Amino acid sequence: MDGLVFIGNSKAEIRDFEVPAPGPTEVLIRIRASGLCGSDFHTYDTEEGLRGPDGAFIAAGHEPAGEVEEVGELVTGFSPGDRVSAHHLLGCGYCRSCLMGYPVSCSSSARAAYGGHRNGGHAEYLLAESRSLIHLPDNVSFIDGAMVACGFSTAFSACRKATITAGDFVLVAGLGPVGLSVAMIASSLGAIVMGVDIDRARAEKSREFGIVHTVSSSAEADAVEEVNHFTGGHRVDVAIDCTGSDAARHLCLEAAAVWGRVVFIGFGGGDLSVNVAELFIMKQLTVKGSWVSSMAESSEAVRLISRLNLHPDRMVTATYGLREGVAAYKAFKKGAPGKLAIVS
Ligand SMILES: [Zn+2]
Ligand SMILES: [Zn+2]
């Protein structure tokens, strides 16, 4: 079968792989959609590319969705033909974080990501552990499912941790696919959602995803004043940073109201210098970090998009066949706007 590999120095190639046979607890999935994600560049851009533990190239892609082709002898709950998405991380299943449902924080050396440590979704088939799979209802598209495998669930978990409530003012910093997912979820909860992004075109587009006001000021003091003005002097009950930049993180802390909640989900940045007394203590602020999501949250995210017909697949601006995957990554690297996905 074909699989897309990252061979290093921002280059990808199609390589031939054996179609794997499922072990007792595994499921073979015919891939229908596989999302491209900003975190792919962590390996795409390196000299060595993306390799498994044995040093061989592995198929990339950690946002897979498709149809069950074959199941192992001990698998229950999944049958050939089922539509599924695979949460992109596999934990040991036994450590504290795994027991809490968070394979991303698994402390075992057995922790593995599809398209990170073992073959991923940029291939014709994916061999997945059945415990990482989530059923997709018929009205959830394969691209919706691919987005739940990573970014949408990350946004969902952050919204849960921020305890967003109807009527809350929410500020989303960074309006890429994760930020837009936060906006979709927060607005579906009845929040009044504002967004900020240095890319004006991206900010304008975000209105289609539930954002009612985009902050146009770039200097922090002006942006805070704009938030202050829009919220009638209240500032925001919740601020969620999806950028990972120190400036946006600081803006979230400044823009938060007294008793506000701030959640950081964007990777990057450095050591942030803040006035703890003024920004944390005197504001009675709750600040949380949130990394990916629990397995339960991923399936609840599917429930939400199915029952409310949210369709994060609307963020996808271009789709590519697997054999066009090399071109897809070139376009992604050049900064193609929106979300890109490989489909078949
Ligand atoms: Zn991702
Ligand atoms: Zn574990």
Side-chain angles (χ1 to χ4, degrees), residues 35-40 62-63 88 146-147 149-152 154 178 292 339:
L36 278 65
C37 177
S39 67
D40 292 335
H62 62 268
E63 303 186 351
H88 69 288
M147 294 182 73
C150 176
F152 192 86
T154 297
V178 175
V292 190
K339 177 88 179 165

Side-chain angles (χ1 to χ4, degrees), residues 8-202:
N9 301 311
S10 311
K11 289 197 182 82
E13 246 179 50
I14 296 288
R15 292 274 171 100
D16 190 41
F17 289 84
E18 292 268 306
V19 177
T25 58
E26 291 176 321
V27 171
L28 184 68
I29 300 165
R30 176 85 177 89
I31 293 294
R32 296 295 181 202
S34 186
L36 278 65
C37 177
S39 67
D40 292 335
F41 293 129
H42 297 160
T43 49
Y44 182 75
D45 288 339
T46 59
E47 213 170 297
E48 64 274 18
L50 174 61
R51 296 165 189 263
D54 63 357
F57 288 122
I58 57 172
H62 62 268
E63 303 186 351
E67 280 166 306
V68 172
E69 180 87 8
E70 196 184 336
V71 300
E73 58 197 8
L74 298 179
V75 172
T76 55
F78 295 96
S79 310
D82 284 357
R83 306 170 74 255
V84 294
S85 161
H87 183 88
H88 69 288
L89 286 145
L90 263 180
C92 67
Y94 300 102
C95 73
R96 182 165 178 253
S97 292
C98 281
L99 292 174
M100 290 171 77
Y102 278 86
V104 65
S105 299
C106 174
S107 56
S108 162
S109 57
R111 176 187 182 277
Y114 299 116
H117 309 86
R118 51 189 278 166
N119 285 320
H122 293 346
E124 290 173 69
Y125 294 93
L126 172 74
L127 191 60
E129 279 292 340
S130 59
R131 69 176 189 276
S132 64
L133 299 184
I134 299 160
H135 280 286
L136 299 178
D138 286 343
N139 74 331
V140 174
S141 72
F142 286 120
I143 295 180
D144 287 331
M147 294 182 73
V148 167
C150 176
F152 192 86
S153 292
T154 297
F156 185 88
S157 186
C159 290
R160 281 271 176 92
K161 288 177 180 119
T163 59
I164 294 172
T165 333
D168 275 351
F169 283 117
V170 173
L171 176 68
V172 186
L175 300 172
V178 175
L180 293 181
S181 298
V182 168
M184 287 178 92
I185 297 161
S187 60
S188 77
L189 294 167
I192 304 145
V193 189
M194 310 168 69
V196 59
D197 195 295
I198 48 173
D199 182 333
R200 290 305 304 157
R202 222 152 79 138

